[in-house]
Amino acid sequence: MKIKPVNSYNEMSKLAAEIVARKIKDKPNAVLGLATGSTPLGMYRELISMYKEGKLDFSKVRTFNLDEYLGLPPSHPQSYSYYMHENFFKHVNIKKENIHIPSGNAPNPTQECLKYERQIEEIGGIDLQILGIGVNGHVGFNEPDINLKALTHIIQLADETVKANSRFFKNIDEVPKMAITMGMGTIMRSKQIILLAWGLEKKEAVIKAITGPITTKVPASLLQLHKDVTLIIDKRIYEKLKEDRK
Ligand code: PGA
């Protein structure tokens, strides 16, 4: 795992956007794995600026999002489909047919998972996957458990996740309790991964992911087994990591 400590949220966002931009320049039809939440918002803003300045072309880029709440239609303001369109897609020249997000209101969610996994496989896998990390060490919505599922699947959200995500809803009861998520196998087959973490509330999860045992209780710890992972993390977390290692 490569670790890049950063001094600010903006520095993290710029660095992540540069890695994405480099990938698209090397491979204009790159397949990007995208994340939602507060963490990647700055990265999307940077990518939009690069596009508006004529430095980046998304016309051939293909994307697959990590996850979606089950039960929310794409028009719901808290759906990840809505988030992606508002915060990124509508500002760049990506083609609609190249965007993939699991459908939260598919009539048959199990079939939707199978279809999503097949689409990723048929396209040749993900070239660059962007990840955030949950306070409990989840990636995508792969929640800590005694076992994990490899492929795209339906999952019940952990209480910590429902609580953490309730900040986006009017009240905690409105937060969906189920979601569709890529599995750890889907994620681990990405050729390159960058994980972003800003804020001290992520400290424990990040430290366990980097230095802890590889365990399904900290899904992000599985990333230790991947050969091309870059963690762009809050310098304060990095300092703590160094102290722990002394
Ligand atoms: P956040 O979520 O970016 O909103 O902190 C990250 C996650 O839960 O994976």
Side-chain angles (χ1 to χ4, degrees), residues 133-138 195 197 199-212 218-221 224 231 237:
I133 182 169
V135 286
N136 63 357
H138 77 198
L195 182 142
L200 289 177
E201 68 278 11
K202 300 286 172 71
K203 186 175 75 187
E204 270 180 44
V206 172
I207 291 177
K208 281 188 195 160
I210 300 173
T211 61
V218 184
S221 69
Q224 292 177 37
L231 292 109
I237 301 179

Side-chain angles (χ1 to χ4, degrees), residues 118-153:
R118 202 178 321 118
Q119 283 176 321
I120 296 174
E121 203 182 310
E122 279 170 7
I123 221 160
I126 291 164
D127 293 308
L128 173 61
Q129 175 67 56
I130 315 296
L131 295 177
I133 182 169
V135 286
N136 63 357
H138 77 198
V139 286
F141 274 137
N142 292 278
E143 302 286 19
D145 207 338
I146 49 165
N147 48 43
L148 298 175
K149 291 212 173 106
L151 306 181
T152 301
H153 60 285

Side-chain angles (χ1 to χ4, degrees), residues 38-182:
S38 308
T39 308
L41 279 174
M43 180 194 76
Y44 292 132
R45 279 196 291 269
E46 290 295 329
L47 289 170
I48 293 165
S49 301
M50 290 179 191
Y51 165 71
K52 293 209 161 135
E53 287 162 18
K55 294 179 188 154
L56 209 49
D57 175 19
F58 290 90
S59 62
K60 297 194 179 72
V61 169
R62 284 90 48 93
T63 65
F64 283 86
N65 265 77
L66 275 170
D67 45 20
E68 177 60 287
Y69 288 119
L70 205 59
L72 297 192
S75 57
H76 192 289
Q78 296 312 331
S79 75
Y80 288 160
S81 185
Y82 191 91
Y83 166 114
M84 287 308 302
H85 284 89
E86 287 305 304
N87 294 304
F88 187 42
F89 295 145
K90 77 175 191 188
H91 306 283
V92 297
N93 66 334
I94 190 158
K95 294 204 176 91
K96 209 165 166 244
E97 63 268 28
N98 288 339
I99 296 170
H100 305 83
I101 303 176
S103 170
N105 63 345
N108 185 334
T110 306
Q111 281 301 325
E112 177 67 12
C113 294
L114 290 171
K115 185 179 103 189
Y116 201 66
E117 194 66 36
R118 202 178 321 118
Q119 283 176 321
I120 296 174
E121 203 182 310
E122 279 170 7
I123 221 160
I126 291 164
D127 293 308
L128 173 61
Q129 175 67 56
I130 315 296
L131 295 177
I133 182 169
V135 286
N136 63 357
H138 77 198
V139 286
F141 274 137
N142 292 278
E143 302 286 19
D145 207 338
I146 49 165
N147 48 43
L148 298 175
K149 291 212 173 106
L151 306 181
T152 301
H153 60 285
I154 297 162
I155 188 143
Q156 174 154 9
L157 302 184
D159 291 345
E160 298 100 307
T161 302
V162 172
K163 194 164 154 247
N165 290 5
S166 66
R167 69 190 194 277
F168 299 112
F169 292 80
K170 275 198 220 96
N171 63 62
I172 196 159
D173 298 331
E174 285 188 12
V175 186
K177 308 290 180 293
M178 308 284 286
I180 293 181
T181 183
M182 284 185 195

